[in-house]
Each structure stands twice: as C-alpha cells, then as structure tokens.
C-alpha cells in the first residue's frame, strides 16, 4: 500500500491561499490477516467523516467545524482546514470487507487481505 502525494510547490515569490485540505498523520501496520491504517484527525467526529473507495484508491476526508471566536483573534496556530488523504490499495486487499472506526479523533481502518493471498498449508496426497 502506498500513499499518493500530488502537490505542486508554490511559484517563487508568490503568496498562495491557505490549503483547502491538510494531510492527516497516519500509521500503517501489517498483520497476519491484513493491514491497519490509523489517521489522526482531531476535531473530526463520525458525522464529518467521508471514506470512499474507487478503482483501488481509498480517499479519506474529515471535516471539522470551526468554533466561532468571541472577540478579535490575536493568534491562530491551528489550521482551520479539513483533512484529506488518498491511498492506493494493494490488489491483495479484500475491499468488500474494509471496516472503519472513529474514536476521539483517531480513524482506524481495517484492510483485510483476501483469502487467496493468505498463507495456507497444503496437504500432500499419497
């Protein structure tokens, strides 16, 4: 499984608008039965999450609400942008069995391997 990254660098000397999306930090683990992908998306709840699968690419979008500010804003270090990340899936993943769980801003995807690629024991006949 590999991440697809496509972002053009800004032109020298030109200011650009803030990004519409930021990439969430992820961890990807391989287990005996498949892969687990964890994506940190603070401020995103289950209702703000959109996961789509198309042509062996899985797209994760997390929308977070921006709380209204009472008074004049003096400093903003957190980006108000939403999250987006696209991954190309290994053909060995059984896409019909992918599951997702969102808990306290951490998305966990279970990406099971198809039965045909799992190790198995072959018996020898007489």
């Amino acid at each position: 499984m590999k991440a697809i990254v496509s972002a053009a660098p800004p032109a020298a000397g030109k200011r650009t608008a803030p990004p519409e999306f930021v990439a969430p930090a992820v961890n990807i683990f391989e287990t005996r039965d498949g892969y687990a992908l964890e994506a940190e998306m603070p401020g995103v709840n289950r209702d703000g999450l959109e996961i789509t699968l198309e042509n062996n690419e899985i797209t994760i979008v997390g929308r977070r609400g921006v709380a209204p500010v009472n008074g004049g804003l003096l400093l903003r270090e957190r980006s108000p942008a939403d999250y987006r990340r696209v991954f190309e899936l290994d053909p060995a993943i059984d896409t019909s069995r992918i599951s997702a769980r969102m808990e306290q801003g951490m998305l966990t995807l279970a990406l099971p391997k198809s039965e045909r690629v799992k190790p198995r024991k072959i018996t020898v006949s007489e």
Side-chain angles (χ1 to χ4, degrees), residues 98-119:
I98 294 174
S99 63
R101 185 178 79 240
M102 185 67 161
E103 190 173 315
Q104 295 183 344
M106 178 69 76
L107 170 66
T108 303
L109 292 177
L111 307 165
K113 292 178 184 174
S114 75
E115 294 297 321
R116 66 180 170 77
V117 298
K118 287 184 183 177

Side-chain angles (χ1 to χ4, degrees), residues 39-84:
E40 290 182 9
M41 294 191 281
V44 175
N45 61 26
R46 194 173 134 191
D47 296 331
L49 194 58
E50 180 182 318
I51 303 168
T52 57
L53 177 66
E54 185 177 344
N55 299 327
N56 261 18
E57 286 185 356
I58 194 162
T59 303
I60 302 166
V61 177
R63 300 189 194 309
R64 54 184 167 176
V66 178
V69 177
N70 294 329
L73 183 66
L74 299 177
L75 175 67
R76 172 174 275 157
E77 291 184 341
R78 288 184 300 144
S79 170
D82 294 329
Y83 298 102
R84 183 176 188 275

Side-chain angles (χ1 to χ4, degrees), residues 8-19:
K14 291 189 177 185
R15 299 190 81 161
T16 58

